[in-house]
Amino acid sequence: QVQLVESGGGLVKPGGSLRLSCAASGFTFSDYYMSWIRQAPGKGLEWVSYISSSGSTIYYADSVKGRFTISRDNAKNSLYLQMNSLRAEDTAVYYCARDYIAVAAFDIWGQGTMVTVSS
Amino acid sequence: QSVLTQPPSVSAAPGQKVTISCSGSSSNIGNNYVSWYQQLPGTAPKLLIYDNNKRPSGIPDRFSGSKSGTSATLGITGLQTGDEADYYCGTWDSSLSAHVVFGGGTKLTVL
């Protein structure tokens, strides 16, 4: 069964850090580009970051550049998002998603993990 | 404010047809493939359309996509109450740095 399972969300104070993980199963993880996409409560989708299949190419949204770091471990079938200097506006459900054919078509999504930044 | 512009809401009766528009620019829709997603309440988004007009396996042909210039359209025929959801368009944007952009979302109400 093809699936993605996120973990690592929680409540953190402004300025704090959190590391999200996404475990992939049921497909050859190393063949696919992956992304993190978030959704603030009651809001629309916002793309956060993108990593190529080998990890050699990475992109970030301007809103997180310099604060967030995406990475992957193909041997462990896992995707990560290290989030530093967190702000209240980073509060959202964070989804990891598989890019079907490397054209920003996300065909597999995790269930999401909630990150709340609040004092 | 989203880079891609969608109407906030659309509505139609069961069995009818509805279209949802997505407007962008030459740096995104105009030169890249468009995808469409359906998000039912409390769930993760689901890919409906990719490459402007292709449907993944399992997506019924009631859902269709098209693109013209810097705009894209999602069409849904034979509306069902189960189609009530938020719909998002998305694509690459290669303006200053490569990144993915989404529309603000359209809430579909099946009356």
Side-chain angles (χ1 to χ4, degrees):
Chain A
Q1 178 185 359
V2 175
Q3 67 174 358
L4 298 169
V5 179
E6 301 96 336
S7 60
L11 175 64
V12 61
K13 289 181 168 54
S17 298
L18 214 52
R19 189 194 194 209
L20 305 183
S21 299
C22 171
S25 60
F27 66 98
T28 305
F29 180 70
S30 58
D31 283 349
Y32 291 88
Y33 287 38
M34 300 292 295
S35 262
W36 287 98
I37 296 162
R38 68 185 181 184
Q39 187 170 34
K43 302 298 184 181
L45 301 175
E46 181 189 14
W47 171 78
V48 173
S49 184
Y50 195 92
I51 187 168
S52 63
S53 53
S54 66
S56 60
T57 300
I58 287 173
Y59 303 116
Y60 296 101
D62 289 343
S63 58
V64 307
K65 198 173 295 182
R67 300 187 299 123
F68 289 11
T69 302
I70 191 172
S71 62
R72 65 190 296 161
D73 185 336
N74 286 341
K76 294 183 177 180
N77 294 327
S78 293
L79 176 72
Y80 306 101
L81 186 68
Q82 177 66 43
M83 304 186 295
N84 298 331
S85 303
L86 282 162
R87 307 166 180 167
E89 54 265 36
D90 295 319
T91 294
V93 174
Y94 284 73
Y95 296 102
C96 64
R98 184 182 85 169
D99 190 341
Y100 181 44
I101 46 173
V103 291
F106 302 106
D107 68 329
I108 304 296
W109 296 64
Q111 84 287 356
T113 187
M114 183 70 202
V115 172
T116 304
V117 184
S118 174
S119 54
Chain B
Q1 189 167 349
S2 302
V3 172
L4 305 180
T5 301
Q6 297 180 235
S9 63
V10 296
S11 61
Q16 297 300 302
K17 174 183 177 178
V18 71
T19 61
I20 297 173
S21 62
C22 176
S23 177
S25 67
S26 59
S27 67
N28 42 66
I29 292 178
N31 284 285
N32 293 287
Y33 290 111
V34 177
S35 299
W36 288 92
Y37 304 87
Q38 176 194 62
Q39 188 175 32
L40 297 170
T43 69
K46 176 183 180 180
L47 180 65
L48 289 178
I49 299 289
Y50 69 96
D51 282 6
N52 303 329
N53 55 19
K54 296 183 174 65
R55 284 176 285 106
S57 173
I59 301 300
D61 58 8
R62 299 189 299 109
F63 296 91
S64 64
S66 64
K67 188 182 99 168
S68 178
T70 59
S71 293
T73 302
L74 173 70
I76 310 173
T77 60
L79 277 172
Q80 303 172 0
T81 55
D83 295 331
E84 274 208 354
D86 293 322
Y87 292 84
Y88 296 90
C89 57
T91 185
W92 274 108
D93 189 302
S94 47
S95 48
L96 290 176
S97 61
H99 52 284
V100 177
V101 291
F102 291 102
T106 299
K107 170 67 177 176
L108 168 62
T109 300
V110 181
L111 302 168

